[in-house]
Amino acid sequence: MKKLFRIALIITAIPSIALSQTLPNLTALSETIKPQVSSIRLLNFIQPFTIRYQTNAEITAFISDEFNQTVPQTIRQNYDLFIRAIGLYHGGISFDFEALIRASQSQIGAYYYPANRSINIPIGSIPIQELRVIVVHELTHVLQDQHFGLDRLLSATNSDKLLAHQALAEGDATLVEYLWFLDRTGQAMSDAQLQQFVNTVANTTVGEVKRNLKDATADPQVVKAIDETPDFIFEQQLGIYFRGMAFVFDLKKRGGWATVNRAYTNLPMSMEHILHPDKYFAGESLEEIALPDLANETFTGNWELLDRDTLGEFGLRIIFNTFAIPSHAAAAGWHGDQYVVLKHRQDDTPALVLFTTWDTEQDATKFKTAYEGVLAIKHRGSTDFRIEQQGTDVLISESSRDLDLLFAYLEKVRFTPTVALEIFDFDGDLTIGFSDFLMFAAHFGKSSSDPDFDPRFDIDADGMIGFSDFLAFASAFGKQITPNSKPAVVIDPHIIHRTLGFIR
């Protein structure tokens, strides 16, 4: 999924203009806006950075390089098969990955690149009000990088966790841009009104976004492109930015920006935490599922592995939405999953195996019933699938080849309840070591009634940093966090600012 969710195909194009044409001075604009953003976010800019325009050729080269580094060739070459096997798309259009890249390269609103601390904005006829909003958003990313480290933040062991980390960063920046807009336009809004706005934005649908985009253009080619873009690409963006904003707003409402700041150390473990902030504050863990090594399976010599990853509650919601099946109840109670997508070497037959586990047997039954609806549409009356509930687990295999062998492979799954190692990495160096122990020891014995209580160290969330928290920390001591995904760029599309409604 991280290979899919790295792709932001944004339809609203930026018309090219000549370099000789007068453009707003980005440095001067940034210097004007910096103190405003700092005042809202209550963080100071502590390191130099650059802000600059880039040509279409520079943007194209950069994004191509990013895709080359982060998206495996197996996904690029089998993109249409891949998204259909997972269930993200089942329409009549065949999707070519390289075409999606080309379409997205000229549609980027801006990006922040932590490696060289630069804000990069494509040359185009961007209205000055929109440009200001873009600069506000990107300056917030600069603050995040300077204070919390975006390279670490955007590292994760699976796509669901990566999306949750992205939602924290993008939700933060999206909330700041809205608060900035209210401040600059002199609009007073009560807490209740702000909450209503956040709720409305968080529940924005893909249909609403597509209608807004089509209403804003008279170009039939753009309208056609909007209609043909798979919904899951829009849904991913809405989840990261708008659900992320709702999550950050909830954090801020509970304890101000200090609570938001702490979330960059005590990171959300999954999109489930973003969708349900109460579960984040309760410290709800998940099941770390590990499907067996395919190299040890005798039947896999005829199969090519395309991907192994985690869908999460959010990914499952998107799949249910793809097949017009009510998603919230069906995906609620998610507690962990892992999937494998394969392709047969002889005839390119796809296979999906998916192991899911749920909070309760009732949650598992709801999911199974809903997913049977997906299977009925996906396989159009064939029996090329097997789905079975085993207590709180639901096992699924889909293929016209080796169906029973694939299901038997699923039954060998290993999983254990886990708390993400990231929550013990208090100093952010990706190792649970002595400096983390010293930080923990300095807070040992404190309770929620103490003014300097820090919930990061209350591992079991019982209001007391005590012996049970120490035992949890001790079990993680000496371990290293090894990310398998580390995007080096934060790319922000125009659609986000325009959908918020205050860019005209």
Side-chain angles (χ1 to χ4, degrees):
M1 291 281 283
K2 56 184 170 290
K3 299 84 180 172
L4 302 173
F5 286 169
R6 208 66 56 72
I7 306 160
L9 178 62
I10 306 306
I11 302 303
T12 309
I14 307 166
S16 299
I17 60 177
L19 277 171
S20 59
Q21 196 165 334
T22 302
L23 295 168
N25 185 304
L26 288 179
T27 301
L29 186 62
S30 172
E31 288 301 314
T32 299
I33 295 175
K34 274 172 60 179
Q36 300 165 5
V37 172
S38 185
S39 175
I40 291 170
R41 192 55 182 82
L42 301 183
L43 292 172
N44 294 321
F45 291 89
I46 56 178
Q47 293 175 328
F49 63 93
T50 59
I51 181 168
R52 62 191 181 185
Y53 289 109
Q54 284 197 318
T55 65
N56 286 342
E58 289 172 324
I59 293 283
T60 296
F62 179 83
I63 299 304
S64 294
D65 185 60
E66 285 299 308
F67 277 121
N68 287 336
Q69 291 185 45
T70 58
V71 183
Q73 280 295 321
T74 53
I75 301 299
R76 300 167 75 103
Q77 295 169 356
N78 299 281
Y79 183 65
D80 188 72
L81 179 148
F82 179 47
I83 63 174
R84 291 175 187 276
I86 293 177
L88 294 172
Y89 181 74
H90 73 108
I93 298 171
S94 179
F95 284 98
D96 173 69
F97 185 82
E98 304 303 326
L100 287 176
I101 294 177
R102 290 192 297 272
S104 67
Q105 285 169 340
S106 62
Q107 316 296 334
I108 295 168
Y111 70 88
Y112 174 69
Y113 190 33
N116 63 9
R117 299 174 185 166
S118 66
I119 297 173
N120 302 271
I121 298 176
I123 294 172
S125 53
I126 305 172
I128 185 62
Q129 175 64 359
E130 182 169 358
L131 183 59
R132 291 191 184 103
V133 171
I134 289 171
V135 171
V136 169
H137 192 101
E138 301 309 317
L139 286 174
T140 307
H141 286 321
V142 172
L143 287 174
Q144 294 164 351
D145 194 32
Q146 293 185 0
H147 289 269
F148 314 118
L150 284 180
D151 272 342
R152 171 184 171 270
L153 176 69
L154 297 178
S155 300
T157 53
N158 64 61
S159 292
D160 180 51
K161 190 179 294 186
L162 172 62
L163 287 174
H165 296 178
Q166 289 176 316
L168 171 61
E170 296 297 356
D172 183 356
T174 304
L175 180 60
V176 168
E177 73 176 68
Y178 187 70
L179 296 176
W180 175 88
F181 174 79
L182 292 178
D183 180 67
R184 302 314 296 171
T185 56
Q187 297 184 48
M189 189 174 281
S190 68
D191 290 344
Q193 289 173 317
L194 271 174
Q195 183 68 72
Q196 184 179 15
F197 167 78
V198 168
N199 291 343
T200 300
V201 170
N203 291 303
T204 300
T205 67
V206 171
E208 290 169 338
V209 171
K210 286 189 170 184
R211 282 194 298 273
N212 290 340
L213 290 175
K214 288 190 286 188
D215 288 345
T217 183
D219 187 338
Q221 292 302 313
V222 173
V223 172
K224 183 174 183 291
I226 292 168
D227 287 334
E228 292 181 353
T229 300
D231 284 359
F232 76 85
I233 293 178
F234 287 102
E235 289 199 65
Q236 176 260 329
Q237 295 296 315
L238 296 180
I240 290 175
Y241 287 84
F242 294 166
R243 289 285 181 178
M245 182 175 71
F247 175 73
V248 172
F249 184 76
D250 190 279
L251 299 183
K252 185 175 182 295
K253 190 170 63 173
R254 294 178 190 238
W257 287 114
T259 300
V260 177
N261 295 345
R262 281 194 292 270
Y264 284 90
T265 299
N266 186 17
L267 290 166
M269 294 166 56
S270 70
M271 280 297 288
E272 181 184 49
H273 283 170
I274 302 297
L275 299 172
H276 309 285
D278 287 344
K279 293 188 177 185
Y280 169 77
F281 281 97
E284 182 172 309
S285 63
L286 52 84
E287 301 282 6
E288 193 74 21
I289 296 172
L291 289 171
D293 187 348
L294 284 163
N296 298 325
E297 302 298 317
T298 57
F299 72 91
T300 55
N302 293 323
W303 293 91
E304 177 186 2
L305 174 65
L306 298 186
D307 193 33
R308 177 197 296 263
D309 209 342
T310 296
L311 290 167
E313 178 178 348
F314 182 61
L316 289 169
R317 279 191 185 188
I318 291 176
I319 290 170
F320 284 126
N321 289 339
T322 297
F323 293 88
I325 292 172
S327 63
H328 285 47
W334 174 89
H335 201 53
D337 77 74
Q338 190 174 74
Y339 71 81
V340 166
V341 176
L342 303 163
K343 183 183 77 169
H344 202 276
R345 298 183 189 279
Q346 290 183 6
D347 57 8
D348 292 347
T349 296
L352 170 70
V353 292
L354 172 62
F355 188 105
T356 69
T357 190
W358 300 84
D359 291 338
T360 67
E361 289 192 21
Q362 184 181 19
D363 293 327
T365 300
K366 287 181 180 178
F367 167 75
K368 177 177 178 289
T369 300
Y371 200 85
E372 286 171 339
V374 170
L375 293 170
I377 299 170
K378 198 173 175 183
H379 295 277
R380 299 173 183 174
S382 76
T383 57
D384 297 337
F385 61 85
R386 183 174 170 186
I387 181 169
E388 184 175 309
Q389 180 176 348
Q390 300 178 0
T392 57
D393 304 328
V394 178
L395 288 64
I396 301 158
S397 63
E398 303 177 46
S399 181
S400 60
R401 285 178 170 269
D402 296 336
L403 185 63
D404 290 334
L405 290 173
L406 291 166
F407 195 86
Y409 162 75
L410 267 181
E411 293 185 299
K412 299 177 183 179
V413 73
R414 302 179 302 277
F415 63 96
T416 54
T418 184
V419 175
L421 288 176
E422 286 91 339
I423 72 169
F424 303 106
D425 184 23
F426 305 122
D427 62 4
D429 67 353
L430 302 182
T431 299
I432 318 302
F434 191 62
S435 62
D436 300 302
F437 169 73
L438 292 178
M439 294 175 70
F440 178 84
H443 292 80
F444 188 81
K446 296 185 184 298
S447 70
S448 57
S449 61
D450 294 322
D452 56 348
F453 174 76
D454 190 332
R456 289 183 300 162
F457 304 97
D458 182 16
I459 308 301
D460 61 5
D462 66 351
M464 170 66 72
I465 303 171
F467 191 63
S468 61
D469 302 304
F470 171 74
L471 290 177
F473 176 81
S475 69
F477 188 80
K479 295 181 180 179
Q480 290 188 325
I481 300 167
T482 306
N484 67 4
S485 173
K486 190 173 184 179
V489 59
V490 182
I491 301 174
D492 293 306
H494 278 290
I495 187 176
I496 299 306
H497 314 296
R498 292 172 181 168
T499 302
L500 279 170
F502 52 82
I503 299 299
R504 301 299 182 199

